[in-house]
Amino acid sequence: DAGITQSPRHKVTETGTPVTLRCHQTENHRYMYWYRQDPGHGLRLIHYSYGVKDTDKGEVSDGYSVSRSKTEDFLLTLESATSSQTSVYFCAISVQAGGGTDTQYFGPGTRLTVL
Amino acid sequence: KNQVEQSPQSLIILEGKNCTLQCNYTVSPFSNLRWYKQDTGRGPVSLTIMTFSENTKSNGRYTATLDADTKQSSLHITASQLSDSASYICVVSLSGGSYIPTFGRGTSLIVHP
């Protein structure tokens, strides 16, 4: 699992409330990612980070913000949760696999329900 | 637009049978292609990774092939087991230092006893 943990693992919240999900890695990898996974859509990139305080948007970034103040932690914040953000959220890291390739390792996921 | 298309969307087979999953991609310039297995309620786990110069890679009963000319890959599962029931995701990365891969939507495989 490349030392990736996510917290919380499950969360139920109400529309309009802020929510923060945490991803923690133990191996100091540079690249970290947040994805959401919904039926029929597969994994979609929300935001990613290429270093401390260096982040960029993915394809579904609206309504989400991220922060990375330490190498090991990547936080995803839903500023005002909506029902459309009910999903399973996965954190991932990118590990160099040699030969110029990289492999992503995923965390166990956070199931978020917005009522 | 870089895309990864997988087929079939879902597949049901009997335990002990073989099956083949397909992945077609338009990602260019190509760096590598990976197959992941995702069990229900868990994160994806890498099965194989192939670069441009490789055309086959095995991991136990899983064998992936790659045809970079036609931009097609397949994942062959031999002598299926109940534990093979999962979603299989094809992921393609660009060359040139991009660390943002393109994901297929996955094939859901169910293995029945």
Side-chain angles (χ1 to χ4, degrees):
Chain A
D1 62 0
I4 306 169
T5 58
Q6 294 185 229
S7 60
R9 295 292 314 280
H10 302 271
K11 186 171 181 65
V12 179
T13 190
E14 294 186 348
T15 298
T17 60
V19 176
T20 295
L21 309 183
R22 178 178 182 246
C23 177
H24 179 79
Q25 58 146 330
T26 60
E27 300 182 2
N28 294 320
H29 293 290
R30 181 181 173 195
Y31 279 81
M32 298 184 75
Y33 310 78
W34 276 108
Y35 292 91
R36 62 177 289 174
Q37 188 174 39
D38 306 287
H41 288 280
L43 284 154
R44 292 182 292 175
L45 181 64
I46 304 171
H47 282 278
Y48 67 99
S49 170
Y50 46 95
V52 173
K53 297 186 180 180
D54 291 324
T55 65
D56 207 346
K57 297 179 179 180
E59 62 177 303
V60 291
S61 60
D62 287 347
Y64 302 94
S65 62
V66 290
S67 65
R68 193 167 178 200
S69 58
K70 298 184 292 184
T71 299
E72 59 266 35
D73 290 325
F74 192 30
L75 304 181
L76 175 71
T77 298
L78 288 64
E79 292 132 8
S80 178
T82 67
S83 59
S84 64
Q85 294 176 312
T86 293
S87 186
V88 181
Y89 291 86
F90 288 100
C91 175
I93 62 171
S94 184
V95 177
Q96 288 297 305
T101 63
D102 65 285
T103 296
Q104 288 192 323
Y105 290 88
F106 288 83
T110 295
R111 182 173 295 276
L112 176 68
T113 301
V114 183
L115 302 176
Chain B
K1 180 181 179 181
N2 292 320
Q3 289 186 313
V4 176
E5 301 289 340
Q6 292 188 242
S7 62
Q9 186 174 1
S10 62
L11 182 62
I12 300 174
I13 62 173
L14 292 176
E15 185 179 15
K17 297 297 186 182
N18 303 335
C19 68
T20 300
L21 314 181
Q22 300 290 342
C23 173
N24 296 335
Y25 62 93
T26 60
V27 175
S28 181
F30 171 86
S31 173
N32 65 79
L33 185 147
R34 286 159 274 162
W35 283 94
Y36 284 84
K37 179 187 180 188
Q38 184 176 20
D39 293 316
T40 301
R42 308 193 71 164
V45 175
S46 181
L47 290 175
T48 63
I49 178 169
M50 291 179 291
T51 63
F52 183 88
S53 60
E54 298 174 297
N55 55 24
T56 188
K57 183 70 69 77
S58 291
N59 179 356
R61 294 179 297 102
Y62 301 100
T63 299
T65 63
L66 172 65
D67 185 335
D69 291 331
T70 62
K71 299 185 177 180
Q72 295 179 325
S73 176
S74 64
L75 180 69
H76 186 74
I77 304 174
T78 303
S80 61
Q81 300 176 357
L82 298 179
S83 60
D84 292 330
S85 295
S87 179
Y88 292 84
I89 304 170
C90 177
V91 184
V92 182
S93 289
L94 289 165
S95 64
S98 171
Y99 287 80
I100 310 300
T102 302
F103 287 77
R105 295 186 178 183
T107 292
S108 175
L109 174 66
I110 298 174
V111 181
H112 279 312

